[in-house]
Structure formats: C-alpha cells, structure tokens
Amino acid sequence: MADLVSRLNDVRDRIARAALGSGRASDAVRLVLVTKTVPAERLRDVIRAGATDLGENKVQEGLAKAQALEGVVEGGPVRWSMIGHLQSNKVRDALRFASEVQSLDRLSLARELEKRLLREGRGLDVLVQVNTSGEASKYGLAPEDVPGYLRELTAFDTLRPRGFMTLATFTSDEAEVRRCFRLLRDIRDRAMNDAPGGEALTELSMGMSGDYEWAIAEGATIVRVGQAVFGARPLPDSHYWPGAAGTT
Ligand SMILES: *Cc1c(COP(=O)(O)O)cnc(C)c1O
C-alpha cells in the first residue's frame, strides 16, 4: 500500500511538472487511473489517497468494481470513465457505472447510448476516439472522418461531446508516438474552430504509463495511467488491443 501510494504520488508529481513545462497550470491535466485487472480492494487505497477518476476498458469488470466500491467515500466520490471498445449490447451496463465514455467510435454506438440515456432522462460526456496511428487493429475514427462525425453527433440530444481520445502507436520511438499526439491535437484545434459546438471540444485524452509526459508536452488534458501506479499487468497488451505487441 505504501508502494502504491508513493507510485501514485510520483505520477502526480510528474504530471504536474509536465503541465508546468508545457506552459499550463500544475493541475491542468486530469489523471484517470486505469484499473483493469486491479482488484477493487487495492482501489480503496488509491481512493483514500485522493484518486477521483477511474477508468476501465471492460464493462463487466468496471461494473463489478464500481459496485464493490459503492459507499467508499474516504477521499471523496469517484467518477468512472469507460475507455475501451464498447459493444452496443453492453451500453446499458456501461451506463450503470460510467459517467463518461471516452471511446465513442461509431454512429451506431451514439444511437444506442442516446436510446438508453433518453430512457434514463440524463446526458453523458463523451470523447470521440480517433485512430491516429493508422494501425488497422485499433478502434477509432479515421482522422478524415472526424468532421462529418461531429456534425452527425449534433442529432443526439443526450450526448455532450467534450473532445477526443487516442492511443498512440505501440512503439518506443518518441517521434512516432508524438506524431500521433500532435495529430489528435490538430484535429481538436480544427474542430474547435469549425465544428458545431466546437468551443466545448477542449479535451485531449492521450498518454499512458509509457508516454504520458510526451502527451502532456503535446497538449494532453487527460492522461490514462495504469501500470505506472499499479504495477505490470499479468496479461500482455495484445490481450486488450488485438495487434499490440509486447508487454509495454
Ligand atoms: C490499459 C489502458 C490504458 C493504460 O495503460 P497503462 O499501460 O496501464 O498505463 C490507457 N488507455 C486505455 C484505452 C487502456 O485500455
């Protein structure tokens, strides 16, 4: 537990320094702690240490942990983000725990979310996932499809588009990783100028354990970090992202 909290504090320090280094306030970047494979019991420790934002990429796992942690208020209430590919038939369960979906990647998903949200009489913050790496195995819209998609989203009253999310190419090549982040930032900047309701599209969710400092340097407003806080996962990334190589 001491280890966990000291790693969390180290990541927070690095985020704050990177934000300052990019000319922003030290608290300008939101940390979403990615909890996949981490048991709910260990999450209590980070929540006690002040973590407020948790992210899951599998619906059943997220729902089970959110329910296990219900009533844990030390350090304040937590907010869950859905960050992985969301199948339409899991929308209902996703909305039982997630207050934000960062992986909006197709029109049919927007339709399913809208249908369910209308029934529940509420809205939802969403980020549009963009495939900036060009890898066929990655989810997300092709960059050139983003403007049209944003226009189509205006038809959905319950969805509040807040910006964009991406996964960079899985490589240790800094130039290639930063190219992906810069591409997402360009897409965001253009959308803020041109898209309907563009002024609300401020968020850039990019950067994970291996590359969040580069992402912040390129303008990330949200980073999604798991292993740097919780330790290495037992399963390789290829389990979560078909086509991803290696374990980092
Ligand atoms: C797992 C995951 C992360 C975090 O990866 P780490 O290597 O644990 O930091 C970020 N984003 C998504 C979509 C993920 O599935």
Side-chain angles (χ1 to χ4, degrees), residues 34 36 57 83 165 167 208-209 224-227 233 241:
V34 178
K36 62 186 184 235
N57 67 345
I83 61 170
M165 184 271 256
L167 291 152
M208 319 189 335
S209 289
R224 310 177 308 269
V225 176
Q227 297 180 91
R233 277 186 295 274
W241 307 289

Side-chain angles (χ1 to χ4, degrees), residues 26-54:
S26 61
D27 62 355
V29 177
R30 167 155 69 105
L31 169 61
V32 173
L33 286 176
V34 178
T35 59
K36 62 186 184 235
T37 75
V38 182
E41 207 39 59
R42 292 189 76 205
L43 299 183
R44 289 175 199 273
D45 295 333
V46 293
I47 294 169
R48 272 187 210 109
T52 54
D53 281 84
L54 306 180

Side-chain angles (χ1 to χ4, degrees), residues 13-204:
D13 285 348
R14 286 166 182 267
I15 290 172
R17 255 179 282 139
L20 289 170
S22 74
R24 291 178 286 164
S26 61
D27 62 355
V29 177
R30 167 155 69 105
L31 169 61
V32 173
L33 286 176
V34 178
T35 59
K36 62 186 184 235
T37 75
V38 182
E41 207 39 59
R42 292 189 76 205
L43 299 183
R44 289 175 199 273
D45 295 333
V46 293
I47 294 169
R48 272 187 210 109
T52 54
D53 281 84
L54 306 180
E56 270 290 340
N57 67 345
K58 295 205 191 285
V59 170
Q60 254 42 51
E61 203 181 327
L63 179 58
K65 282 175 212 175
Q67 288 173 337
L69 291 169
E70 237 158 24
V72 177
V73 291
E74 296 145 281
V78 296
R79 168 184 154 100
W80 287 90
S81 300
M82 181 67 200
I83 61 170
H85 182 66
L86 178 51
Q87 291 169 265
S88 295
N89 63 359
K90 302 242 170 85
V91 157
R92 185 172 169 200
D93 278 345
L95 291 176
R96 290 171 67 189
F97 75 97
S99 54
E100 171 185 80
V101 169
Q102 296 200 359
S103 44
L104 190 64
D105 60 0
R106 61 199 191 280
L107 205 57
S108 59
L109 177 58
R111 259 189 230 113
E112 268 324 300
L113 286 166
E114 168 101 339
K115 207 178 352 166
R116 188 71 214 166
L117 289 161
L118 281 173
R119 210 180 293 172
E120 296 180 7
R122 65 185 174 113
L124 182 76
D125 289 343
V126 291
L127 303 183
V128 174
Q129 182 171 355
V130 182
N131 181 349
T132 54
S133 70
E135 294 166 291
S137 61
K138 293 265 175 69
Y139 293 108
L141 276 88
E144 62 272 21
D145 294 338
V146 170
Y149 189 70
L150 291 172
R151 281 193 299 276
E152 290 175 314
L153 281 187
T154 60
F156 302 99
D157 293 335
T158 60
L159 301 183
R160 297 184 295 257
R162 295 291 194 225
F164 304 90
M165 184 271 256
T166 201
L167 291 152
T169 308
F170 287 102
T171 171
S172 51
D173 177 0
E174 178 173 352
E176 168 58 16
V177 170
R178 291 180 76 140
R179 181 194 66 76
C180 295
F181 295 152
R182 263 199 308 276
L183 176 55
L184 194 71
R185 182 191 179 138
D186 288 346
I187 288 167
R188 193 267 323 254
D189 290 348
R190 236 170 300 142
M192 286 191 73
N193 273 322
D194 302 343
E199 64 287 343
L201 300 171
T202 53
E203 302 290 350
L204 282 176

